[in-house]
Amino acid sequence: MQMMNELTLPADVAVFSRGSLEFLRPPTREEWDQVGRYVVASRTCSLRWLADWRRTGRRAFGDEAVLEAERQLELEFKDLRAAEALERLESGAAARAASDEHAFVVARLCKSTEDADRWLETAEREDLSAVELQRSIKAGSVVKDDAEKPSVNASDKSVGIVTIEGIRAQFDLWLRKVRGDGFPNGWDDRRRRMVLELLRPMVEVSDEIEYLGHVARTKEQSAEEFGIDEVMPVANKTGVPVQMLTDALCLHKTAPQDFSVAKVQRFFRIGYQAAEKLVKGVEEYLKPA
């Protein structure tokens, strides 16, 4: 009940729109704090609110009304899927969850409300993240991430930040759906090209990470082959930095048949002319004596 009071907006103080928050009059400090708590809660509770909204609409107006409202609101598929799962969780249990993600985990994995309550209490007591809660439920006991395990997400600790694990899970869900819709062979060229353009940045990041690994391993194996005494004269002649030329030589060695100005430009994040100069430096170094 206390949480409900905390999330009640003071009357006639503020109006929310799609892109702004407008105060209708100067708020008191207490009112201003209440609005702030509401804004922060919306980032961690919105899917549960959506599930409660759907549940209430279904009881009051029926399934067709809910479907029509969802179409008008243009709700995203991933949010509808999450809300659908959360509807299976009693609202009392959902309200006790630390976040929408925690609620979604117990809604999907727990077979009863009692089981969900127990795991949510465990998550609060052990300070489990949603991912740790999921692993713990599957293992049947508390599982915490190794403190030494490197993070692959932003380190700003933002609430509800998009994670690479979440992106991968959403991608897998999307792929299963479109496979059933005939993707890719059954799609026309225009749809395939749209998917290609959306996937291209991810492919480029994947290539960049892969090449960085190749370069690091090649540099370890080729420390003597690409020594500074051999690289320096060519670097001076072509006007490129010694370290960059060394890295380019290692990149060339990993896949000489795929070495190009475009690849160098993308790998080093430099302009076309700088990439062209670097390629010429590699060609100069590899030129037979």
Side-chain angles (χ1 to χ4, degrees), residues 61-218:
F61 312 113
D63 292 344
E64 288 299 321
V66 173
L67 288 172
E68 179 60 28
E70 290 171 352
R71 282 194 291 268
Q72 292 178 1
L73 291 171
E74 298 181 348
L75 296 172
E76 293 188 18
F77 176 74
K78 63 181 179 62
D79 292 338
L80 290 175
R81 283 294 302 269
E84 183 179 344
L86 289 169
E87 280 189 77
R88 297 195 292 269
L89 189 66
E90 290 189 9
S91 57
R96 286 190 287 275
S99 69
D100 284 342
E101 289 78 10
H102 287 76
F104 180 72
V105 167
V106 295
R108 192 164 52 88
L109 297 180
C110 293
K111 292 183 170 61
S112 66
T113 300
E114 292 75 16
D115 197 26
D117 284 338
R118 180 172 64 84
W119 277 111
L120 288 173
E121 289 174 5
T122 301
E124 182 178 7
R125 184 176 64 253
E126 299 291 338
D127 194 25
L128 300 179
S129 68
V131 173
E132 290 172 332
L133 176 59
Q134 177 175 288
R135 292 173 181 163
S136 298
I137 295 174
K138 288 181 177 180
S141 60
V142 172
V143 176
K144 287 202 169 187
D145 284 338
D146 185 352
E148 300 300 318
K149 182 179 179 180
S151 173
V152 293
N153 297 300
S155 57
D156 60 4
K157 308 297 185 183
S158 298
V159 177
I161 191 75
V162 174
T163 65
I164 191 66
E165 296 92 344
I167 293 171
R168 171 57 192 273
Q170 289 297 326
F171 175 78
D172 289 344
L173 178 61
W174 170 84
L175 188 59
R176 285 198 298 271
K177 287 288 182 181
V178 295
R179 290 286 193 203
D181 190 42
F183 175 81
N185 294 343
W187 285 21
D188 60 39
D189 187 58
R190 180 172 175 272
R191 294 179 76 190
R192 286 197 297 264
R193 280 189 282 109
M194 288 176 64
V195 173
L196 183 63
E197 286 304 311
L198 291 169
L199 292 178
R200 196 182 303 281
M202 292 178 253
V203 174
E204 290 178 355
V205 170
S206 176
D207 286 346
E208 183 179 0
I209 293 171
E210 185 175 2
Y211 289 135
L212 281 172
H214 285 326
V215 168
R217 289 189 292 273
T218 305

Side-chain angles (χ1 to χ4, degrees), residues 29 39 65 116 192 231 258 262 265 279:
R29 176 56 190 271
V39 170
R192 286 197 297 264
V231 175
D258 200 27
Q265 185 180 6
V279 169

Side-chain angles (χ1 to χ4, degrees), residues 211 214 250-260 263:
Y211 289 135
H214 285 326
C250 293
L251 181 61
H252 177 273
K253 185 173 182 178
T254 63
Q257 73 285 352
D258 200 27
F259 191 75
S260 66
K263 178 153 292 184

Side-chain angles (χ1 to χ4, degrees), residues 240-256:
V240 298
V242 174
Q243 186 59 60
M244 187 175 285
L245 179 55
T246 303
D247 289 346
L249 286 165
C250 293
L251 181 61
H252 177 273
K253 185 173 182 178
T254 63

